[in-house]
Amino acid sequence: HLLIKDLCQGRLCLDVSSVGGLKFKEAATLREDRDGLYNWKFFNSIVSPDEDSPARILDVMHDKKTMHKLLAVVKLVNEDLERALKYILTKVWRAKEIFDQEGISDPGMVIPGYRMARLASLFLCGDLSQVDDILPIIQRVNDGDGLDVLRAKDLLRKHIEAYDEWAAELDRAVKWAALMLGGVSIQQPIEAFETPPLCECLDESVYEGIPTARQLYQIIQDKPKLPLA
């Protein structure tokens, strides 16, 4: 069982459409109305995502009881996968703690450069010692000059303990970020120029003996039963 029993509260209905689509709805009940973490909204975010689905999935990811149970199941299948997933979840939980401490409740609140550098420093090393090193990297991206790959790798190498073990994956991630954040070259405007029709470029003698379209239409109109082949 991957879901914590105490958090599975409420009743739900599964609606199957005529084309096989699935959608969960809240079931009407005379019992006490309880709303647990794994209610109809959670299951609906999996089979029929909407604009609120990412928030519901994050709520489940932040539930450490369920994630620890999931890690235990994954470990039975593959220990390396369990170790990688555990590392990712630890960083997700760490990011949530930082956002809560800094009062970040909306993505727009992260946009100012200094705020972004502050959050990145807290995430990487747990303090504000790296703000001055991170801020120029962010400003460079904001100016449209792309990501400073060397400085970004140096920061990661300094503050990620498992950097050597995951060097190849982190290198690809940095290159992907550099591509996404890199500047885009502006396409030069296409120079328009006039070109005369082909019939005006050739000598009139080329068309001698060739009937015009008007002549062809006139022949067909005068002889409608004329065989075409």
Side-chain angles (χ1 to χ4, degrees), residues 3-10 34-38 65:
L3 303 180
I4 306 300
K5 184 177 180 180
D6 295 341
L7 299 178
C8 296
Q9 302 289 341
R34 297 180 179 179
D35 191 14
L37 182 61
Y38 317 118
K65 286 185 177 181

Side-chain angles (χ1 to χ4, degrees), residues 82-100:
E82 182 268 342
R83 190 155 49 91
L85 184 59
K86 183 177 181 180
Y87 179 82
I88 294 173
L89 287 174
T90 301
K91 295 304 179 183
V92 171
W93 296 335
R94 173 63 180 154
K96 184 179 185 302
E97 292 175 358
I98 293 174
F99 275 42
D100 292 342

Side-chain angles (χ1 to χ4, degrees), residues 13-193:
C13 290
L14 175 60
D15 182 21
V16 182
S17 69
S18 58
V19 294
L22 301 178
K23 189 172 184 179
F24 286 94
K25 297 181 179 180
E26 185 177 13
T29 176
L30 298 177
R31 295 185 179 183
E32 180 183 358
D33 186 16
R34 297 180 179 179
D35 191 14
L37 182 61
Y38 317 118
N39 58 4
W40 65 276
K41 295 179 182 179
F42 165 69
F43 292 103
N44 203 46
S45 65
I46 298 177
V47 301
S48 182
D50 55 21
E51 63 275 7
D52 297 328
S53 296
R56 178 60 60 173
I57 297 297
L58 285 176
D59 288 341
V60 175
M61 290 183 65
H62 294 152
D63 178 45
K64 295 184 179 181
K65 286 185 177 181
T66 296
M67 292 299 103
H68 283 309
K69 187 168 279 193
L70 175 62
L71 289 173
V73 175
V74 173
K75 187 175 182 178
L76 296 175
V77 179
N78 189 306
E79 292 188 2
D80 292 335
L81 180 60
E82 182 268 342
R83 190 155 49 91
L85 184 59
K86 183 177 181 180
Y87 179 82
I88 294 173
L89 287 174
T90 301
K91 295 304 179 183
V92 171
W93 296 335
R94 173 63 180 154
K96 184 179 185 302
E97 292 175 358
I98 293 174
F99 275 42
D100 292 342
Q101 292 172 2
E102 296 294 312
I104 305 296
S105 58
D106 185 85
M109 300 174 66
V110 186
I111 291 178
Y114 182 80
R115 176 73 63 82
M116 197 178 299
R118 177 185 176 91
L119 294 173
S121 180
L122 289 172
F123 182 77
L124 284 176
C125 55
D127 54 41
L128 303 178
S129 61
Q130 299 300 313
V131 172
D132 293 337
D133 294 332
I134 298 174
L135 188 57
I137 299 177
I138 296 175
Q139 290 177 339
R140 175 188 170 93
V141 174
N142 291 339
D143 293 338
D145 296 327
L147 178 67
D148 190 334
V149 175
L150 295 179
R151 297 185 68 174
K153 286 185 177 181
D154 287 340
L155 278 172
L156 296 177
R157 186 179 298 107
K158 186 188 301 182
H159 300 287
I160 296 182
E161 297 179 359
Y163 182 88
D164 293 335
E165 185 177 357
W166 298 92
E169 289 76 9
L170 291 172
D171 182 69
R172 284 193 289 268
V174 172
K175 289 182 178 179
W176 176 82
L179 179 63
M180 296 294 294
L181 301 174
V184 180
S185 59
I186 301 177
Q187 184 178 4
Q188 297 296 327
I190 300 176
E191 182 179 357
F193 57 91

